[in-house]
Amino acid sequence: MSYNDWIEHESIAREEGLRTKKGMPNAVNWKIVKSKEYTQRFSKLSENTKANELVAQRARQALKHRDGTMTEEIYAIDLKTGKDISKIVNQNYIQGVKRTKKFIEDVERAEANGANVLFIHNHPNGLVPSLADLNELLNHKNASGLVVGHDGSIYFYTKPDIKLSENDFTIAYLKSRYYTDVKLKHESAMGELARMHKFEFKVL
């Protein structure tokens, strides 16, 4: 099973569990997202309280804007200063964002000035980072990523040692195929991939 086939299969399998708002798939679980416990999970990101609070704010904004949809948006912030770098909030592609020239240039400028960039984007199906998410970090000097799921999940990740392929994913997936719970299977596979390719993956 390829990575894309796996994503499609598991997205369908989880759809019923995401019907949290008038039977609507991909609805945000606001009971979790509005909780104090959810906010506290962002404190594990860095020692910069201001930055952690901004991340939590941007995460909730993305979830509010994309509630009940299959679309995504992305923010870039500097974990050093706790300030915004750039964002893309006006696109409506299914399960993805196309980075604009402005967004790319904003991030490049910030990195040239020594920023510790964190990319924040939502996953409507609540799944772990994609191969594209991981590989994108290889294009940056000092960057990490955060995925916020509509189900309340939060995943932090750093860049792998090499560009990852579907074959790399398949190896990790096979080691986790005995999990029956969808979330655990996803997280286990990503954890195995992180171990094999020397990047950090955390469930916050």
Side-chain angles (χ1 to χ4, degrees):
M1 178 182 286
S2 72
Y3 182 84
N4 289 333
D5 289 341
W6 177 64
I7 289 294
E8 182 177 0
H9 171 75
E10 300 296 0
S11 295
I12 293 171
R14 295 201 68 229
E15 185 172 297
E16 285 300 318
L18 291 172
R19 294 182 187 275
T20 57
K21 183 179 180 181
K22 297 181 180 179
M24 185 170 59
N26 306 307
V28 173
N29 188 330
W30 287 109
K31 182 177 181 180
I32 292 176
V33 172
K34 288 184 177 180
S35 69
K36 290 182 179 179
E37 185 274 337
Y38 185 80
T39 303
Q40 291 170 352
R41 287 153 67 186
F42 291 93
S43 66
K44 301 174 184 178
L45 281 173
S46 73
E47 295 181 357
N48 186 335
T49 301
K50 180 182 176 182
N52 297 339
E53 290 175 349
L54 180 62
V55 176
Q57 182 181 348
R58 297 294 175 253
R60 286 192 174 102
Q61 284 181 345
L63 295 173
K64 180 180 180 181
H65 296 162
R66 305 297 166 164
D67 192 1
T69 77
M70 285 295 288
T71 61
E72 300 177 8
E73 58 188 58
I74 188 170
Y75 298 81
I77 75 152
D78 184 354
L79 286 177
K80 283 185 179 180
T81 64
K83 295 182 179 180
D84 289 302
I85 296 172
S86 197
K87 62 184 178 180
I88 301 174
V89 297
N90 58 353
Q91 296 181 359
N92 290 290
Y93 298 107
I94 300 299
Q95 291 184 320
V97 175
K98 293 185 179 180
R99 299 190 179 205
T100 62
K101 180 180 179 181
K102 181 182 184 304
F103 185 87
I104 293 170
E105 290 177 346
D106 287 345
V107 172
E108 288 178 345
R109 188 180 309 110
E111 288 186 307
N113 291 326
N116 181 0
V117 180
L118 178 72
F119 296 110
I120 308 156
H121 73 284
N122 64 300
H123 271 187
N125 50 26
L127 300 183
V128 295
S130 68
L131 295 182
D133 293 336
L134 294 166
N135 287 334
E136 169 60 32
L137 295 184
L138 294 171
N139 299 320
H140 301 277
K141 296 178 182 178
N142 185 21
S144 53
L146 195 77
V147 168
V148 291
H150 289 202
D151 61 350
S153 58
I154 308 173
Y155 299 114
F156 172 82
Y157 58 98
T158 60
K159 62 182 172 184
D161 56 352
I162 60 170
K163 184 176 181 179
L164 300 175
S165 67
E166 287 200 359
N167 185 60
D168 296 315
F169 165 76
T170 298
I171 294 171
Y173 176 79
L174 289 174
K175 293 185 178 182
S176 306
R177 67 186 183 278
Y178 297 112
Y179 283 91
T180 56
D181 181 84
V182 171
K183 290 291 283 186
L184 291 179
K185 182 164 56 177
H186 287 202
E187 292 167 2
S188 176
M190 189 56 60
E192 182 62 28
L193 198 62
R195 185 191 66 78
M196 293 190 299
H197 292 286
K198 300 178 176 60
F199 65 92
E200 186 177 4
F201 168 71
K202 292 194 299 187
V203 181
L204 299 186

